[in-house]
Amino acid sequence: MNVMLQVNDLSKNFNDFQAVKNLSFTVNQGDVYGFLGQNGAGKSTTLRMLLKLIKPTSGEIIFSGTNIIGDDNAMLKQTGAIIERPDVYKYLSAYDNLYIFAKMSGIKTTRKLIMDQLEMVGLADRFDSKAKTYSQGMKQRLGIAIALVHSPKLIILDEPTNGLDPQGIADMRNLILRLSREMGKTVIVSSHLLSEIELVANRMIIIHKGEKIVEGDVATLLDPADTVVEINTTDNETAFLQLQQTQWKERTTKTTKNIRVRTNKNDVPQIINMLSGVGINLLAVQPRHSLEDYFLSLTNNDTHVEPFTN
Amino acid sequence: MKKISIIIFLFCSIKATAQQDINALLAKAKATIESVNDYKATGRMKTNVAFLKVPIANVSVFFKKPNKLKVKSEKGISFIPKGAVSINLTNLTGINKFTVIDAGTDKIAGKIVRVAKLLPTDDNSDVVLSTVYIDEATSLIKKAKTTTKDNGTYELEMTYGKYASFGLPDKIIFSFNAKDYKLPKGITFDFDDGTAPPATDKLKGRKGRAEITFSNYVINKGVEDVLFK
Amino acid sequence: MWSLLQIELYKISKRPRTYIAFIAIAGIVLIIQAAFKADPGYLNILLQNVGDTFEVDKGKVINGYFMCYMILNTLLIQVPILVALVAGDAISGEANMGTLRLLLTKPISRAKIIGVKFFASIIYTVALLVFMAILALFLSMAIFGTNDLLVFRAKDTESQILQIMQDDVMWRYLAAFAYAAVALTVIAALALFLSVFAENSIGPIVATVCIVIVCTIISNLNIPIIDKNVRPWLFTSYLVGWKGFFYIAIDADNVPIKGSMENWPAIRNSLLILLAHIGVLFGGAVWFFKRKDILT
């Protein structure tokens, strides 16, 4: 596996606030690399450091064997990006926007190239309308066209599904998979939702408060053998007692809201059958990977507003 | 202000005899003046007033009897002193509305000249007093000084050359009171280059001067009235 | 570099605010021209009591050259605001729109990006001046004809009327417009500098205008201690230096010398001071921009 991007001990301080702390990770060629963290975890700061929008306080960013910190633009030449919102020049048409950024990427631009690219993202029929007349989804597609127009090897998408409707989110997911599988691009995608990362990424990192929590293959990290099942019934007390009689006895805990069982994901039907068999009415059964559970616990610990309970 | 005509044609060329009667001397001057019905002249006018930085202008002067006179700049903008046009010595000398006083003699450029003071008999006249300096030998008026009620004192000095027989000077120096010129504050945002005012300030507070040096006269060949408009 | 500049100029040309300045200039110039055509009475204010002593052909005084001088006198004080509209927007406008982060992820150095933006602001400034020259000078010449130029100058103790011969005027205008271009480039550099720090364009535009106004007021206070110690350090003291080209030198007889200037060293020094301001402000803009973290 060829290493495309190697980040070593990357840190960023904003005055007294340390946004990123000694972060290290590796992105291989062809990866869809998930960048997971709650809002404010340091995802955007890290991705912006990769894109030279933010100057690192310390650390190394090695792209194709060269440390790009300094004034080397080698990485930017081979990178396309959408950072948060796909902002474009609203007073210019899609064609003009794409033309301008293509030119700035240093490629030879022809009308055909621009129109083909617009065709690909489904904006060819509106190529001459000003971007301010576009819907959020259209702007997003224009942003993608801009990110891809110079055929970059690496594509960085920072929270690309923010503000999109469910269809837009699905489209974005498909696009990422196409970029990776059909076009052989390396993609770094950030999100605050594990479910999103899980669906597209083959490798991932979780960061929290600027620090790496875990990094690895999604398949390994999200191994189904390590699942937490949350069970809610009409009578949690009885259900808990029933579970105490079974093989899951040691791995069952009870909270004020529900019962939690740590087990293999494949065991879930068996648990449901057992509880139903003793006449317990199930309200909800939610299997969740322990990593997600852990990730959620991080989020919950930082919640400042008490959850509403009745 | 009454506009009548310039003094230029006040000058006479009467063969003078020693200590002739001052009235007779003026009469001779008048006779010479009246020999000129009209003229056109070209010349160069240099205006010398402290606040006015203007180039030497090429001017044309037109005169027609009895009192039409016009100074025009050939091209460009010119500042023509109003007094030079409106001071009327013809009337002073030509009509018997003035009392003439023999004021003896004076010296101009080393030459002795006769001095006549003319007092208007009309109380409403703008002129308070006019003093005329006449070269007795040539009967040419060398200098005239006029004090007015409204416009201060004007002075004319004449130098004669080849048109002396018509009483027309080659050069006139006209001195007058130039009022101070001060622009209201805030009307211009000026560039102050931080230097002291230029040396020409020596002119400040002095009278304004206009010099006309004539190069050519065309006398009694007719001048169209339209030129005086 | 050239294609980047083209892109920048194209973007400027597509923004409606770009044309505010041109419309404003055309409006002011046409109003002044129409007013003078209808009623040349303003000349009496300038002539003061000179009209009592001298006969002046006012029709000749109000000519194309004079009109241009009048218009520049009125307008060049306002143009910094118009320059700030575009230069102050250069970086902050992109930050506000969110395009700055996209722009800076392109493989172009930040120094180049801000350099191109500054150069584009200069071109815009020059375009404004050319437009002004066409309207204020050439259109005035067509409407009012040409003749000698009278310059009415207020000095400390006395005012002056300077007469410049008609064939001695045009080069002075060329020089004056060139000087104005340098002076306005200082404003562009200032607005650009402030633009680096802002995330919307209103801030730097307003700040630039405020700085210009405050400095202009201080420059014109006429308080000796300020004139001596503060004034020379304010760039606004030099903005009206273009007039120096119209302060013709005079000879010992108080007659203007054709083709001369009263104080070329002062104009040259002003130019050098302005250029130094441009250097410092633009250098500062590059320095800070290169180090700026893009958080928008």
Side-chain angles (χ1 to χ4, degrees):
Chain A
M1 195 74 72
N2 280 336
V3 173
M4 176 176 264
L5 182 68
Q6 173 79 51
V7 172
N8 297 326
D9 288 323
L10 193 66
S11 295
K12 177 65 189 180
N13 299 346
F14 293 109
N15 300 321
D16 291 341
F17 172 66
Q18 204 173 2
V20 176
K21 300 169 194 166
N22 302 318
L23 193 63
S24 300
F25 60 91
T26 308
V27 179
N28 297 320
Q29 207 155 352
D31 274 354
V32 174
Y33 191 88
F35 225 87
L36 186 65
Q38 57 190 111
N39 293 334
K43 302 187 297 291
S44 275
T45 304
T46 307
L47 296 187
R48 281 169 190 246
M49 283 194 277
L50 300 184
L51 290 164
K52 306 188 89 170
L53 291 172
I54 291 177
K55 208 178 159 72
T57 305
S58 62
E60 285 182 326
I61 299 171
I62 295 161
F63 179 79
S64 298
T66 316
N67 188 356
I68 59 130
I69 293 176
D71 47 19
D72 183 36
N73 284 323
M75 181 172 165
L76 292 182
K77 270 186 195 141
Q78 304 194 38
T79 307
I82 298 179
I83 302 294
E84 293 177 18
R85 302 172 308 278
D87 288 315
V88 293
Y89 297 107
K90 295 181 184 71
Y91 53 89
L92 297 179
S93 66
Y95 185 92
D96 284 344
N97 267 294
L98 193 50
Y99 179 85
I100 283 174
F101 287 112
K103 263 269 193 259
M104 297 192 81
S105 301
I107 58 160
K108 204 168 148 52
T109 46
T110 60
R111 190 173 173 85
K112 188 176 178 308
L113 175 93
I114 303 293
M115 287 309 291
D116 284 354
Q117 202 74 25
L118 289 172
E119 188 80 50
M120 189 192 87
V121 294
L123 287 174
D125 54 333
R126 292 282 305 274
F127 78 97
D128 213 14
S129 312
K130 288 196 170 149
K132 65 181 167 199
T133 65
Y134 289 1
S135 68
Q136 187 64 21
M138 290 168 81
K139 281 183 197 156
Q140 185 80 10
R141 282 183 275 150
L142 178 56
I144 291 162
I146 290 170
L148 298 180
V149 69
H150 56 297
S151 308
K153 284 185 186 164
L154 173 66
I155 292 153
I156 295 177
L157 304 170
D158 186 15
E159 304 267 7
T161 54
N162 265 8
L164 294 185
D165 60 14
Q167 184 58 50
I169 292 170
D171 288 347
M172 180 56 70
R173 200 181 294 142
N174 290 332
L175 176 84
I176 292 168
L177 292 173
R178 266 185 64 201
L179 287 171
S180 164
R181 290 175 194 168
E182 291 175 21
M183 299 162 81
K185 310 279 187 198
T186 306
V187 181
I188 299 177
V189 55
S190 80
S191 177
H192 57 275
L193 298 172
L194 177 67
S195 54
E196 261 181 36
I197 298 294
E198 191 181 358
L199 287 170
V200 292
N202 65 314
R203 280 170 49 74
M204 66 183 285
I205 184 172
I206 297 178
I207 65 170
H208 182 64
K209 292 184 174 171
E211 282 177 295
K212 175 161 80 178
I213 303 295
V214 66
E215 184 196 12
D217 288 346
V218 171
T220 316
L221 292 175
L222 299 181
D223 183 354
D226 195 10
T227 299
V228 173
V229 188
E230 275 183 10
I231 301 164
N232 210 354
T233 70
T234 49
D235 184 0
N236 283 350
E237 198 65 42
T238 312
F240 180 68
L241 289 173
Q242 285 297 327
L243 282 162
Q244 291 292 309
Q245 315 296 316
T246 65
Q247 51 173 310
W248 297 291
K249 180 183 171 187
E250 298 297 320
R251 287 173 281 164
T252 303
T253 53
K254 192 163 83 63
T255 70
T256 51
K257 288 187 285 183
N258 53 31
I259 303 158
R260 294 159 64 89
V261 183
R262 265 185 106 90
T263 182
N264 191 307
K265 204 172 180 179
N266 300 332
D267 292 346
V268 174
Q270 211 182 330
I271 294 171
I272 293 172
N273 286 339
M274 188 278 290
L275 289 174
S276 301
V278 296
I280 289 168
N281 296 319
L282 291 159
L283 291 172
V285 176
Q286 192 174 22
R288 197 156 54 199
H289 192 269
S290 65
L291 189 66
E292 187 179 12
D293 199 54
Y294 173 67
F295 180 60
L296 279 178
S297 72
L298 292 176
T299 315
N300 287 339
N301 286 344
D302 285 347
T303 305
H304 298 292
V305 181
E306 285 300 315
F308 176 74
T309 48
N310 55 7
Chain B
M1 186 192 287
K2 305 181 283 180
K3 281 198 179 174
I4 310 161
S5 116
I6 204 172
I7 4 63
I8 300 168
F9 57 100
L10 184 238
F11 321 113
C12 359
S13 61
I14 299 166
K15 274 278 172 209
T17 52
Q19 290 299 315
Q20 42 186 326
D21 175 63
I22 195 76
N23 282 306
L25 200 56
L26 277 169
K28 282 179 195 169
K30 189 187 165 194
T32 312
I33 288 163
E34 293 195 337
S35 72
V36 178
N37 290 319
D38 58 63
Y39 69 80
K40 287 184 218 174
T42 53
R44 286 161 68 76
M45 185 177 77
K46 182 175 173 325
T47 309
N48 215 341
V49 181
F51 65 81
L52 212 50
K53 320 288 184 193
V54 297
I56 292 169
N58 290 317
V59 293
S60 299
V61 181
F62 304 99
F63 167 75
K64 194 167 185 177
K65 245 179 164 177
N67 55 20
K68 284 182 180 163
L69 186 109
K70 184 87 181 171
V71 182
K72 279 187 175 173
S73 120
E74 280 173 11
K75 58 168 195 171
I77 298 163
S78 57
F79 288 80
I80 296 160
K82 273 189 176 164
V85 185
S86 58
I87 284 290
N88 172 15
L89 270 180
T90 319
N91 278 2
L92 287 176
T93 55
I95 305 161
N96 290 325
K97 278 187 179 171
F98 298 88
T99 311
V100 181
I101 300 164
D102 189 342
T105 59
D106 201 346
K107 263 189 176 179
I108 292 177
K111 281 187 90 175
I112 292 176
V113 290
R114 290 287 299 274
V115 183
K117 286 190 185 291
L118 313 180
L119 291 161
T121 48
D122 180 359
D123 283 347
N124 294 323
S125 168
D126 183 44
V127 175
V128 178
L129 171 70
S130 192
T131 311
V132 184
Y133 301 76
I134 306 170
D135 181 345
E136 216 172 355
T138 58
S139 296
L140 290 169
I141 297 180
K142 292 288 221 184
K143 183 170 157 183
K145 203 163 147 185
T146 302
T147 306
T148 62
K149 285 176 187 162
D150 295 337
N151 290 297
T153 301
Y154 298 93
E155 203 175 294
L156 277 156
E157 276 184 71
M158 275 69 64
T159 314
Y160 294 89
K162 59 180 177 175
Y163 299 98
S165 58
F166 292 97
L168 296 172
D170 282 4
K171 185 178 180 185
I172 296 180
I173 298 172
F174 180 61
S175 309
F176 53 93
N177 283 342
K179 291 175 184 169
D180 277 344
Y181 177 63
K182 185 102 178 108
L183 280 171
K185 255 206 162 104
I187 200 163
T188 56
F189 283 85
D190 274 279
F191 173 53
D192 182 358
D193 50 29
T195 54
T200 49
D201 255 16
K202 67 189 176 198
L203 290 166
K204 193 170 157 51
R206 279 171 51 174
K207 287 189 158 194
R209 261 155 62 104
E211 295 175 25
I212 304 179
T213 310
F214 293 95
S215 54
N216 184 32
Y217 281 100
V218 179
I219 301 161
N220 293 340
K221 300 279 192 238
V223 175
E224 290 164 45
D225 281 336
V226 69
L227 287 165
F228 297 98
K229 281 181 181 166
Chain C
M1 189 79 178
W2 172 234
S3 72
L4 282 181
L5 184 62
Q6 274 179 312
I7 288 171
E8 204 52 44
L9 291 174
Y10 183 71
K11 287 195 286 190
I12 290 176
S13 76
K14 285 284 180 178
R15 302 210 70 178
R17 74 169 65 191
T18 304
Y19 300 96
I20 295 173
F22 288 91
I23 293 165
I25 285 174
I28 295 169
V29 171
L30 295 175
I31 285 169
I32 295 176
Q33 285 169 339
F36 270 77
K37 196 76 191 167
D39 173 26
Y42 179 68
L43 195 57
N44 294 330
I45 300 174
L46 290 175
L47 282 173
Q48 299 272 302
N49 47 30
V50 174
D52 297 344
T53 320
F54 294 94
E55 210 155 80
V56 188
D57 188 345
K58 287 175 188 162
K60 283 183 175 175
V61 174
I62 297 179
N63 58 61
Y65 294 139
F66 175 78
M67 288 306 297
C68 185
Y69 194 86
M70 286 297 310
I71 291 165
L72 291 191
N73 202 19
T74 316
L75 210 52
L76 279 179
I77 298 177
Q78 332 296 341
V79 173
I81 299 168
L82 305 176
V83 171
L85 269 183
V86 165
D89 182 59
I91 300 292
S92 60
E94 300 248 15
N96 187 33
M97 242 184 316
T99 45
L100 186 60
R101 59 176 191 268
L102 195 50
L103 196 65
L104 296 183
T105 55
K106 297 296 154 191
I108 298 162
S109 75
R110 291 194 185 187
K112 212 170 191 176
I113 284 175
I114 196 168
V116 162
K117 283 186 173 290
F118 184 51
F119 199 36
S121 301
I122 294 175
I123 290 174
Y124 170 77
T125 304
V126 171
L128 269 186
L129 286 169
V130 169
F131 182 70
M132 217 191 296
I134 290 169
L135 283 188
L137 182 58
F138 296 110
L139 182 61
S140 290
M141 284 165 72
I143 297 174
F144 295 92
T146 58
N147 211 312
D148 298 347
L149 170 65
L150 292 190
V151 175
F152 297 85
R153 179 188 189 189
K155 287 202 84 176
D156 298 337
T157 50
E158 54 156 10
S159 301
Q160 294 179 343
I161 299 173
L162 308 170
Q163 182 173 355
I164 300 168
M165 301 288 271
Q166 132 164 235
D167 57 358
D168 192 25
V169 172
M170 200 44 106
W171 74 269
R172 294 177 195 272
Y173 273 119
L174 288 176
F177 275 109
Y179 184 100
V182 175
L184 291 174
T185 300
V186 177
I187 310 288
L190 172 65
L192 185 75
F193 177 77
L194 295 173
S195 187
V196 168
F197 302 97
E199 271 150 29
N200 69 69
S201 48
I202 304 299
I205 292 170
V206 171
T208 306
V209 171
C210 285
I211 290 170
V212 172
I213 290 173
V214 168
C215 292
T216 303
I217 290 171
I218 295 171
S219 287
N220 288 288
L221 273 180
N222 293 325
I223 296 171
I225 190 164
I226 289 175
D227 281 0
K228 198 175 168 208
N229 299 307
V230 181
R231 205 171 182 279
W233 301 100
L234 300 176
F235 69 96
T236 45
S237 308
Y238 306 98
L239 292 184
V240 288
W242 63 273
K243 289 187 173 182
F245 291 103
F246 294 92
Y247 295 162
I248 191 167
I250 47 172
D251 63 18
D253 288 331
N254 209 29
V255 173
I257 304 161
K258 200 172 159 181
S260 71
M261 281 175 279
E262 182 186 283
N263 197 343
W264 162 245
I267 300 171
R268 184 198 57 213
N269 291 344
S270 299
L271 272 172
L272 292 175
I273 290 165
L274 292 174
L275 288 169
H277 273 86
I278 293 170
V280 169
L281 287 168
F282 178 62
V286 173
W287 199 86
F288 284 108
F289 188 57
K290 280 180 86 168
R291 284 155 185 79
K292 182 183 166 81
D293 287 333
I294 308 300
L295 304 172
T296 51

